[in-house]
Amino acid sequence: MKKSVIAIGIIAILGYVGSSWYTGNVIKNNIDKKIEQITQKIDNDQDGFSITIEYSDYRQSIFSTNLHLTVKVIPKNFSWLIEDTKTLFNDDITIHHGPFPIIALSEGKFTPQMAWIEYAMSEALSPELWQLAGNQPFITAKLGMSYQENLTIKLANKALNLVDSDSNNNSEILSFINGSLEVSDGDINIEVNKHLSDLHAQVNIDKFIYKNYKNFSKPQVTLQKFNLSAYPNSDKTGIHYNINADKIALGSHNHYIEPRITFDNLKYQGDTLHKTGVIIPNHHTEMGKMTLEFNTSSEPVPDDQKIIINNLMVDQENIFNPTNNTVDGLLKADAESVLLGLPNVGSVSLDLSYQNIPVTMLSNNFDYTDFDDKQTSLNSQISLNKFHFKNTIGEVNANAFVALSGIRSRLERFIININNIDSLKLNVDAPFNVLAYFSAQLKTPNEEALTPEQIEKENLSIKSSIAENNFIKIPLFTFEKNNIEGVYSEVDYAKDKQEATLNGQILPIQDFLQKVFGDN
């Protein structure tokens, strides 16, 4: 009995050794083909750069293979300039053969795997990074491939804190970043199938702060408690993203200004659908605060030089109609308060919906091919369900609706006239005192309170501007309602009706058209 068990064990070991050696040969025989496929796909999927992948010092053993891998990118527009070649990777890696690599088992992969690659950044590659990371690899990576060619990628980095004073003037790292870099421990995990159509990703990093002091083309980036996950949406037509962050700050600088935008307590959930070459967004976004600063050269930036939006919520939903290449959707936004400098100018709400809108209008990428035929007609609707602005003086409200029909190629370029308008509704209620208070706040960003004289001055200025620019002659608007001066409108027009409403008047349709549109 014992001999039988020993014999079975020996056969199992020999079988595993043989399968592992066989897998190593498969890897060796196919590595050139795989490299060619990878480089071709990367080159075909974008126009920015070409990539070259080379290996050397190939050493195969029974359970693993060691080799030296070099990855370089060359900008396609300047590929003839040798100095523009960037080396992304140049180090040794180890490939563990299947079917059950120890490294895969340690990662919880108990199904057969063709190969798992293990990498730890060597001290020889960058002695400086090795030392800054605490005399250990700054980056470690594991990449697994199943026999179905599904990929598992795991990247991890050690914490790093680098500023100008931390190293000498000959520092390669400092010359590369041209500033300061603070990074916490982080990790990236990705699983994707061979066709790249089923992707799951997770990114976690507590802190990433990069500041550039010399190269104006490079941005300033801050991430705090940043978490990103991505996976296929329910119908497999796109990728669903979740992003959560305590803070994301993006800044840049040139010779004139140094703007920066900061998002605090950001929560984002959304799908990105790729249809007919256009990205169609669906997302829900919440943030505790968004801050825009125009000149961050001096820290801290004074409050009167900031624009702050508190408790902002944005929703966008889109449904693609493949039969005519259009989109039905909505856009909603709410901001609890908006500060332009010191004064709180008020709260804002927007609710917009649309139907049968050409998909290319979402990106201003007009469609000159599939739907540019003279005979192709389109019926579209756009509805401003609500615009609401409120400050300490009062409110501004507006809603509108328009239904359009006509040749698609003209509608998507907004080449329209009265014959294209099937229906039009408009309601505007904007008292002058509310507008004047807002205008006065814009002109005094360093003052929290306004005097009656400042408000009255802006009231007179608005009235004067309306008169000087002949805005008062536009028949769609009136400038008094219930003895309160302002900008008001009430319009209800439909092509198939005999009468239309214009600011309280019911007019025959022809009189309405003549009064509003004249000879058009």
Side-chain angles (χ1 to χ4, degrees):
M1 182 65 179
K2 291 183 178 179
K3 291 182 178 180
S4 298
V5 172
I6 294 173
I8 292 172
I10 293 174
I11 292 172
I13 293 172
L14 292 175
Y16 184 84
V17 171
S19 62
S20 184
W21 178 255
Y22 172 78
T23 299
N25 288 333
V26 171
I27 295 170
K28 182 177 181 180
N29 295 333
N30 287 275
I31 188 170
D32 292 325
K33 180 180 178 181
K34 284 298 178 184
I35 288 176
E36 182 181 355
Q37 290 175 348
I38 293 171
T39 55
Q40 184 176 11
K41 180 167 183 59
I42 292 175
D43 287 346
N44 291 341
D45 285 354
Q46 49 76 44
D47 297 320
F49 58 86
S50 299
I51 188 167
T52 61
I53 303 175
E54 300 172 341
Y55 66 91
S56 59
D57 197 18
Y58 195 98
R59 305 182 305 280
Q60 179 184 345
S61 60
I62 295 176
F63 299 109
S64 64
T65 295
N66 294 282
L67 58 87
H68 189 90
L69 188 69
T70 303
V71 181
K72 298 179 180 180
V73 293
I74 305 172
K76 289 184 178 179
N77 294 334
F78 306 98
S79 58
W80 51 274
L81 293 174
I82 299 298
E83 58 266 31
D84 281 334
T85 299
K86 304 295 183 183
T87 300
L88 296 183
F89 186 88
N90 185 28
D91 210 343
D92 295 328
I93 64 172
T94 300
I95 305 175
H96 297 272
H97 306 161
F100 296 102
I102 296 298
I103 184 176
L105 296 176
S106 68
E107 294 293 334
K109 293 289 183 180
F110 301 108
T111 57
Q113 304 286 305
M114 176 179 287
W116 268 66
I117 297 174
E118 185 176 23
Y119 168 73
M121 179 181 284
S122 65
E123 181 180 6
L125 180 66
S126 177
E128 187 177 5
L129 272 179
W130 179 274
Q131 182 179 7
L132 290 169
N135 295 320
Q136 58 185 322
F138 173 58
I139 294 176
T140 58
K142 298 174 183 177
L143 187 152
M145 176 184 290
S146 70
Y147 284 97
Q148 293 76 36
E149 299 188 24
N150 298 326
L151 295 178
T152 299
I153 303 170
K154 295 177 176 288
L155 301 174
N157 68 273
K158 294 297 182 182
L160 183 69
N161 193 343
L162 179 65
V163 296
D164 282 338
S165 59
D166 290 337
S167 191
N168 57 50
N169 294 329
N170 297 321
S171 166
E172 293 183 3
I173 306 302
L174 282 174
S175 64
F176 177 76
I177 67 173
N178 286 324
S180 64
L181 177 65
E182 184 178 358
V183 185
S184 67
D185 289 350
D187 61 82
I188 300 174
N189 298 290
I190 301 172
E191 294 196 6
V192 62
N193 64 355
K194 63 182 295 185
H195 303 295
L196 304 181
S197 59
D198 189 359
L199 180 145
H200 297 254
Q202 184 79 34
V203 179
N204 299 291
I205 187 165
D206 281 346
K207 182 185 290 186
F208 179 95
I209 302 176
Y210 170 65
K211 295 182 179 180
N212 184 280
Y213 304 122
K214 302 174 183 178
N215 190 333
F216 290 154
S217 66
K218 293 184 179 181
Q220 320 290 315
V221 181
T222 298
L223 304 176
Q224 292 183 358
K225 298 292 183 183
F226 179 84
N227 173 270
L228 179 149
S229 61
Y231 49 88
N233 58 14
S234 56
D235 57 2
K236 305 293 184 180
T237 57
I239 301 296
H240 181 86
Y241 295 93
N242 287 330
I243 298 175
N244 293 279
D246 282 2
K247 176 177 286 188
I248 298 178
L250 304 172
S252 63
H253 52 183
N254 54 40
H255 297 289
Y256 305 103
I257 62 172
E258 297 185 15
R260 177 172 61 204
I261 186 168
T262 303
F263 308 102
D264 289 303
N265 299 317
L266 173 68
K267 296 180 180 179
Y268 171 92
Q269 299 179 15
D271 297 326
T272 300
L273 310 179
H274 296 266
K275 300 291 184 181
T276 65
V278 177
I279 297 176
I280 303 176
N282 288 281
H283 68 89
H284 172 79
T285 304
E286 298 178 23
M287 64 184 76
K289 183 169 67 174
M290 181 173 73
T291 305
L292 180 62
E293 301 158 292
F294 294 99
N295 193 348
T296 59
S297 58
S298 61
E299 296 281 0
V301 177
D303 288 340
D304 61 355
Q305 297 180 22
K306 298 178 182 178
I307 296 176
I308 299 175
I309 302 176
N310 290 309
N311 293 327
L312 176 64
M313 182 180 299
V314 180
D315 283 294
Q316 186 172 16
E317 298 178 10
N318 289 293
I319 299 175
F320 177 66
N321 305 315
T323 55
N324 61 356
N325 224 26
T326 62
V327 171
D328 298 341
L330 61 85
L331 174 64
K332 295 182 179 181
D334 290 283
E336 184 179 276
S337 62
V338 179
L339 280 69
L340 302 181
L342 295 179
N344 180 354
V345 300
S347 61
V348 182
S349 295
L350 173 71
D351 184 346
L352 179 71
S353 61
Y354 40 88
Q355 292 182 331
N356 240 23
I357 297 298
V359 65
T360 48
M361 291 179 66
L362 292 178
S363 63
N364 289 325
N365 180 22
F366 299 124
D367 193 340
Y368 292 99
T369 54
D370 296 341
F371 297 93
D372 200 31
D373 189 276
K374 294 285 186 182
Q375 304 304 315
T376 300
S377 62
L378 190 66
N379 296 283
S380 301
Q381 296 180 1
I382 302 174
S383 178
L384 175 61
N385 303 311
K386 181 181 74 172
F387 173 80
H388 176 74
F389 170 76
K390 182 179 180 180
N391 62 16
T392 57
I393 298 298
E395 301 179 358
V396 172
N397 292 286
N399 59 74
F401 172 83
V402 61
L404 303 172
S405 63
I407 302 301
R408 179 191 182 101
S409 59
R410 294 177 63 85
L411 289 184
E412 70 176 4
R413 294 165 178 79
F414 293 102
I415 305 174
I416 59 176
N417 56 37
I418 185 58
N419 296 320
N420 300 116
I421 302 176
D422 296 332
S423 178
L424 174 65
K425 294 182 180 181
L426 178 63
N427 288 279
V428 177
D429 194 323
F432 280 152
N433 60 346
V434 178
L435 300 178
Y437 193 88
F438 173 69
S439 179
Q441 286 181 311
L442 292 181
K443 294 182 178 180
T444 55
N446 56 347
E447 298 180 20
E448 293 188 54
L450 297 173
T451 65
E453 291 77 16
Q454 289 174 311
I455 300 171
E456 180 59 25
K457 179 180 178 181
E458 289 305 309
N459 201 331
L460 295 174
S461 176
I462 291 173
K463 294 177 184 179
S464 176
S465 178
I466 288 174
E468 291 175 359
N469 293 286
N470 292 322
F471 189 73
I472 198 167
K473 296 181 180 180
I474 299 176
L476 286 175
F477 299 98
T478 60
F479 301 92
E480 185 177 314
K481 181 179 178 180
N482 299 327
N483 296 321
I484 299 176
E485 293 181 305
V487 179
Y488 305 96
S489 182
E490 181 188 2
V491 177
D492 190 350
Y493 161 79
K495 185 186 293 186
D496 58 357
K497 292 184 179 181
Q498 299 298 315
E499 296 177 327
T501 300
L502 177 62
N503 298 321
Q505 293 181 296
I506 298 178
L507 303 173
I509 201 72
Q510 291 301 322
D511 292 350
F512 172 85
L513 294 176
Q514 181 62 36
K515 188 170 186 178
V516 174
F517 297 99
D519 296 332
N520 293 328

